[in-house]
Amino acid sequence: MRVYLVAVERPGSRRWHVSLDPSLRADVLYHAQRRAAVRLWRSARPYPLGTALAEVRRLNRDGRRPFRAWRPEREPVVVPADGGKIGSDPFLDKLSGEAPGAEENRVISGGHADAADKPADLAGRLTEAMAGRSLLAEEFESLVQSLGLGGAGGDWRFLAQWGILSGWFTLRPSVEVAGRRGRPLPRKRALCLRCGADERWMRYTACASCGETCPYCERCLTMGRARACTPLIAGAAKPSGVAGTVPERFVCDGGPATGNAVVAESDTAMAGPSGGTASATGERDAVADALSAVPGLALNPVQEEAAREALRFVLSSRPSQSGGEVRSFLIWAVTGAGKTEMIFPLIAAVRARGGRVAVATPRKDVVLELVPRISAAFPEEKVAGLYGGAGRKWPTGGIIVSTTHQLIRHEAAFDLVVLDEVDAFPFHGDPMLAHAARKALKPGAAFVMLSATPPRDMQRDVRRGRLPCATVPVRHHRHPLPVPACERPAKLAALLIRTLERGAQAFVFVPRIAMLEPELARLRKALDGVCPPGRIEATSSRDPMREDKVRRLRAGDIRILLTTTILERGVTIPKADVYVLEADHRLFDAAALVQMAGRAGRSAEDPEGRVAFLAVRLTREQRRAIREIRRMNKLARQKGWLAKSGDSGRRGNRPAPESRPSRFFGFISGRASGQQAGSGAGDRSANRKGWRAWRD
Ligand SMILES: [Zn+2]
Ligand SMILES: [Zn+2]
């Protein structure tokens, strides 16, 4: 968009700013209300936002030499010292529109969903809704409308400008372009201030909004178009610190935040009752308090120890506005360890200090599942779920449960971000989402990652002591993880019959969607007379009936489900076996194999589900997966955390004699794909060694 430059002239001084409000009404009112005698000069024409902001910076730095294009309009707007008639605008009444006397003990409520909860004044509602948010202009407009403020005193441009002048919001271009004006550089350098993308992601097109050639960011395009001329409006995370006309009304009641007090996050509040230099006793107390804060939460000793370690980490972080590195912590918990319960004490600890928490997960269905669980654990809290397709609503609360993508609309907002399944698509390997997660944290705040299969670079950091980590090597029922057996592909039907005979259900994973139909037909035929064809189904990301089939699987109606890795996480069936077809496929890395294996033996009733990798060869990734599972079982056994002695999970899963390595090795060098690192002839001895380690 194009915006006007405004020169604010006082006797002896001149300052420039950009006004989003073309009528200058916000600017005039703001100065009138402050009883400031000023003359406002508006530029004769509007400029693209990015250019205008750069010029304002330059003008304010060196005010004596306005740039050549600065052509103010002939007449200034004069604001007299007494504010004049301008000062009695209906908007100003709405700004602090509340009966006097109702202001004592006010707590700004955690949302706008409830009319009774709303702060009646416009300033409170706007700053609260914008707290920690960073929005494109169109998103800000939508937020203003959702608050019902559209008609409260002007359009979004007016409200944005008022907020910027009042110091509630900051204004930046969504994409910042470095380079001298008027001199086309051979290489421009543009940076997306929203997702952190650099020049490589920029597309320069003729822009209808500003009328010039204007870059937009392609990386975060799915979240709305960030252009060099699109305003990026960020709300202060800490309304108690905002400058402006009505600061006192943002002061909360100060005590430990219960209920809906979401804006108590001042630095002092975060320091907690124990003060800035928390003594060891104070910290111990805080840990104990947090562990007992959630009624009905029953952690087993393993979960509790991990939660304790993570709590000590979270409690030692000191978010501030002034700076400091984001600090990370990893909870490395095997599949089925009950990691959601482990984060409840962390949430309790941060909320007790008045901080805000975001729980982010890569998948929308997990958001939908977590919101009621967290709401039930924290009945006093307002828990907001954010995900794509939730409609143009802007819920807010002390606890946000969000898809990782939605974090991009936040900035310096949270004292704790818990990131679930840090290794999962789309988070892993997407620098945009990593940037979003870090940007959403206040400086110095705590970043807690959860994973059953951390990426290798993260594991390395843990080993080298660069990343503090709590390991939970045992499931909530404290039985060992089922160790995968290696079988020939031809054995699938026989294995499935065994599964059906023991009354279990089966996941059959395949690497490619194209395999599903032929495998389904084959299995239905092979199991004819054992299992009705309607109880064997296949599903994938392209299946419109997927949700229905998952429901039927949960209900026990489907006995055998063929699927791709879309179901490697999330769906839990109490009594299930897992078979991975083409386990040697290059798409199946160790993490995916561990996740798939993790679908078996989840419940206390059937903790010893069976897992088999069906392939003609044993790849490095399969060996890694098996080694990883064994390592966790060993760790659990050493710590004495297993429910009973002996590796009972291994029984029945021992590789059958016919699957011994000699038969496989003939295939290894010949069929190894190029993408398999280190595959080929030189890998053979390593294979043999790995195999021995696996077998023994
Ligand atoms: Zn971007
Ligand atoms: Zn533009």
Side-chain angles (χ1 to χ4, degrees):
M1 65 188 268
R2 295 174 85 93
V3 292
Y4 288 96
L5 302 188
V6 178
V8 183
E9 198 177 73
R10 293 188 174 83
S13 81
R14 194 143 64 146
R15 299 291 292 172
W16 278 264
H17 66 254
V18 161
S19 185
L20 294 178
D21 184 4
S23 71
L24 295 201
R25 182 167 152 252
D27 305 78
V28 171
L29 264 183
Y30 175 77
H31 287 101
Q33 203 216 9
R34 302 181 75 185
R35 304 279 185 265
V38 293
R39 297 203 298 168
L40 302 175
W41 297 88
R42 194 177 76 162
S43 58
R45 67 179 186 93
Y47 298 88
L49 179 87
T51 314
L53 284 169
E55 285 309 336
V56 160
R57 264 203 306 277
R58 207 190 325 272
L59 284 165
N60 283 333
R61 209 170 44 225
D62 185 13
R64 282 165 184 238
R65 288 192 299 141
F67 73 103
R68 260 173 282 124
W70 169 246
R71 300 253 184 283
E73 285 180 327
R74 257 182 220 163
E75 293 296 322
V77 183
V78 179
V79 182
D82 62 358
K85 273 198 294 188
I86 306 162
S88 59
D89 188 277
F91 168 72
L92 292 180
D93 303 333
K94 291 216 173 89
L95 187 68
S96 53
E98 212 173 18
E103 314 217 348
E104 274 88 61
N105 302 323
R106 82 172 271 105
V107 173
I108 289 172
S109 79
H112 50 83
D114 227 335
D117 276 356
K118 285 186 208 170
D121 63 301
L122 189 147
R125 289 163 68 191
L126 200 54
T127 49
E128 180 213 321
M130 279 296 287
R133 283 207 159 104
S134 171
L135 303 181
L136 299 180
E138 57 174 51
E139 293 164 351
F140 180 81
E141 186 178 1
S142 151
L143 177 135
V144 164
Q145 272 164 9
S146 81
L147 290 174
L149 298 181
D155 60 3
W156 72 268
R157 286 170 157 240
F158 171 84
L159 289 171
Q161 184 60 21
W162 181 273
I164 292 161
L165 289 170
S166 302
W168 307 337
F169 311 143
T170 56
L171 173 67
R172 285 170 300 167
S174 304
V175 169
E176 195 166 56
V177 184
R180 295 268 304 271
R181 214 182 67 90
R183 197 190 294 177
L185 292 178
R187 283 179 63 87
K188 286 203 185 92
R189 278 174 295 121
L191 180 71
C192 177
L193 296 185
R194 193 163 73 136
C195 77
D198 62 14
E199 184 65 36
R200 286 168 294 175
W201 292 93
M202 297 301 155
R203 299 290 170 270
Y204 290 79
T205 56
C207 173
S209 172
C210 69
E212 296 192 0
T213 302
C214 178
Y216 70 86
C217 173
E218 202 162 50
R219 190 163 82 173
C220 58
L221 190 57
T222 52
M223 303 295 289
R225 195 181 296 255
R227 280 192 174 279
C229 69
T230 306
L232 184 66
I233 303 167
K238 193 175 65 167
S240 51
V242 298
T245 49
V246 279
E248 67 280 359
R249 72 184 57 243
F250 300 107
V251 178
C252 282
D253 59 354
T258 53
N260 289 324
V262 295
V263 291
E265 58 242 73
S266 67
D267 288 345
T268 46
M270 277 311 294
S274 52
T277 53
S279 63
T281 333
E283 189 178 287
R284 260 201 304 281
D285 288 349
V287 168
D289 286 351
L291 281 170
S292 59
V294 184
L297 178 68
L299 297 179
N300 68 35
V302 194
Q303 290 172 314
E304 192 178 311
E305 186 173 314
R308 234 175 242 286
E309 273 181 60
L311 267 173
R312 277 194 285 271
F313 169 81
V314 167
L315 289 167
S316 68
S317 76
R318 291 277 178 275
S320 69
Q321 299 294 309
S322 48
E325 281 284 292
V326 164
R327 301 165 61 252
S328 306
F329 187 90
L330 173 68
I331 297 181
W332 187 345
V334 295
T335 53
K339 51 192 160 97
T340 310
E341 288 77 13
M342 278 182 265
I343 67 170
F344 286 174
L346 310 185
I347 298 174
V350 173
R351 292 298 294 142
R353 296 160 143 208
R356 285 180 80 201
V357 181
V359 180
T361 160
R363 288 174 298 130
K364 175 182 142 186
D365 46 340
V366 179
V367 173
L368 295 175
E369 183 203 312
L370 278 181
V371 170
R373 274 175 81 185
I374 295 180
S375 300
F378 298 92
E380 307 266 273
E381 297 279 2
K382 187 152 247 164
V383 181
L386 303 182
Y387 51 91
R392 278 303 177 126
K393 293 203 183 108
W394 301 91
T396 180
I399 304 171
I400 301 270
V401 184
S402 155
T403 55
T404 38
H405 275 93
Q406 295 292 323
L407 289 180
I408 208 169
R409 300 205 171 107
H410 291 86
E411 187 165 337
F414 302 108
D415 303 275
L416 167 68
V417 169
V418 178
L419 187 60
D420 192 13
E421 301 193 56
V422 70
D423 56 296
F425 180 82
F427 184 82
H428 181 50
D430 188 338
M432 173 177 102
L433 295 178
H435 179 90
R438 289 188 173 270
K439 192 181 74 157
L441 278 159
K442 290 181 184 169
F447 186 38
V448 174
M449 300 173 283
L450 303 177
S451 179
T453 47
R456 244 163 253 160
D457 51 346
M458 207 176 272
Q459 296 189 18
R460 197 175 52 230
D461 283 355
V462 169
R463 279 198 302 276
R464 293 182 183 171
R466 286 187 201 144
L467 178 64
C469 171
T471 308
V472 187
V474 66
R475 292 180 152 177
H476 64 93
H477 53 53
R478 297 170 67 190
H479 288 266
L481 297 162
V483 178
C486 289
E487 300 284 2
R488 281 171 302 148
K491 280 198 71 179
L492 179 62
L495 290 167
L496 284 170
I497 289 171
R498 264 178 30 204
T499 294
L500 294 169
E501 277 170 1
R502 74 181 197 92
Q505 288 164 279
F507 289 97
V508 179
F509 288 100
V510 300
R512 290 172 290 124
I513 292 178
M515 282 177 69
L516 284 172
E517 281 309 313
E519 281 298 330
L520 180 65
R522 214 175 57 76
L523 272 186
R524 281 179 171 167
K525 200 168 158 211
L527 297 177
D528 189 27
V530 184
C531 185
R535 299 191 145 217
I536 309 176
E537 284 291 353
T539 190
S540 72
S541 55
R542 290 197 207 138
D543 182 4
M545 300 294 287
R546 182 172 121 203
E547 279 172 30
D548 183 58
K549 284 176 187 165
V550 170
R551 190 188 51 74
R552 282 174 58 204
L553 180 76
R554 286 188 205 270
D557 180 31
I558 292 178
R559 304 304 302 174
I560 298 170
L561 185 65
L562 281 89
T563 179
T564 55
T565 50
I566 52 154
L567 291 189
E568 78 177 24
R569 297 159 196 261
V571 178
T572 293
I573 303 295
K575 196 169 183 181
D577 292 347
V578 168
Y579 302 106
V580 182
L581 280 181
E582 291 197 14
D584 52 352
H585 195 276
R586 64 183 171 77
L587 284 180
F588 286 154
D589 61 4
L593 291 167
V594 168
Q595 288 288 351
M596 290 185 280
R599 295 297 105 205
R602 302 278 289 218
S603 72
E605 292 75 49
D606 182 50
E608 298 175 14
R610 295 152 198 263
V611 180
F613 294 159
L614 297 111
V616 290
R617 62 191 178 133
L618 186 69
T619 58
R620 170 187 287 222
E621 296 298 321
Q622 287 176 71
R623 288 199 317 277
R624 254 192 196 128
I626 293 166
R627 201 161 54 222
E628 180 55 37
I629 289 169
R630 284 181 182 259
R631 190 177 77 83
M632 285 295 184
N633 284 345
K634 191 173 161 197
L635 191 61
R637 203 175 303 117
Q638 280 170 350
K639 295 244 187 184
W641 280 337
L642 291 181
K644 54 187 176 191
S645 59
D647 188 356
S648 48
R650 211 190 314 184
R651 216 177 301 130
N653 272 299
R654 197 171 299 139
E658 63 268 33
S659 68
R660 283 291 156 93
S662 54
R663 291 200 180 202
F664 291 160
F665 282 153
F667 295 89
I668 291 171
S669 51
R671 282 197 40 195
S673 75
Q675 297 206 16
Q676 205 97 45
S679 60
D683 201 29
R684 215 182 283 185
S685 62
N687 261 331
R688 225 181 278 272
K689 198 172 153 201
W691 173 261
R692 220 176 293 126
W694 173 82
R695 195 185 52 197
D696 296 337

mmCIF file of all heavy atoms in Angstrom, residues 207 209-210 214 227 229, ligand 2:
data_model
loop_
_atom_site.group_PDB
_atom_site.id
_atom_site.type_symbol
_atom_site.label_atom_id
_atom_site.label_comp_id
_atom_site.label_asym_id
_atom_site.label_seq_id
_atom_site.Cartn_x
_atom_site.Cartn_y
_atom_site.Cartn_z
ATOM 1 N N CYS A 207 3.157 -4.435 -8.601
ATOM 2 C CA CYS A 207 2.245 -4.547 -7.458
ATOM 3 C C CYS A 207 1.062 -3.599 -7.638
ATOM 4 O O CYS A 207 1.243 -2.397 -7.845
ATOM 5 C CB CYS A 207 3.016 -4.213 -6.187
ATOM 6 S SG CYS A 207 1.994 -4.109 -4.726
ATOM 7 N N SER A 209 -0.976 -2.823 -5.402
ATOM 8 C CA SER A 209 -1.228 -2.090 -4.172
ATOM 9 C C SER A 209 -0.391 -0.801 -4.075
ATOM 10 O O SER A 209 -0.867 0.210 -3.590
ATOM 11 C CB SER A 209 -0.950 -3.010 -2.990
ATOM 12 O OG SER A 209 -1.002 -2.309 -1.793
ATOM 13 N N CYS A 210 0.854 -0.853 -4.547
ATOM 14 C CA CYS A 210 1.685 0.348 -4.449
ATOM 15 C C CYS A 210 2.056 0.911 -5.814
ATOM 16 O O CYS A 210 2.643 1.983 -5.911
ATOM 17 C CB CYS A 210 2.949 0.077 -3.635
ATOM 18 S SG CYS A 210 4.118 -1.023 -4.433
ATOM 19 N N CYS A 214 7.589 -4.594 -6.774
ATOM 20 C CA CYS A 214 7.577 -4.748 -5.320
ATOM 21 C C CYS A 214 7.798 -6.228 -5.012
ATOM 22 O O CYS A 214 7.127 -7.082 -5.590
ATOM 23 C CB CYS A 214 6.200 -4.246 -4.876
ATOM 24 S SG CYS A 214 5.798 -4.343 -3.177
ATOM 25 N N ARG A 227 4.503 -8.419 1.403
ATOM 26 C CA ARG A 227 5.136 -7.589 0.386
ATOM 27 C C ARG A 227 5.968 -6.496 1.039
ATOM 28 O O ARG A 227 5.797 -6.192 2.215
ATOM 29 C CB ARG A 227 4.056 -6.907 -0.468
ATOM 30 C CG ARG A 227 3.450 -7.766 -1.534
ATOM 31 C CD ARG A 227 2.647 -6.879 -2.471
ATOM 32 N NE ARG A 227 2.135 -7.605 -3.617
ATOM 33 C CZ ARG A 227 2.844 -7.894 -4.709
ATOM 34 N NH1 ARG A 227 4.109 -7.532 -4.781
ATOM 35 N NH2 ARG A 227 2.304 -8.538 -5.710
ATOM 36 N N CYS A 229 5.481 -3.512 0.528
ATOM 37 C CA CYS A 229 4.590 -2.389 0.835
ATOM 38 C C CYS A 229 3.459 -2.800 1.764
ATOM 39 O O CYS A 229 2.522 -2.039 1.970
ATOM 40 C CB CYS A 229 4.041 -1.777 -0.451
ATOM 41 S SG CYS A 229 2.892 -2.834 -1.326
HETATM 42 ZN ZN ZN B 2 3.674 -3.079 -3.436
#
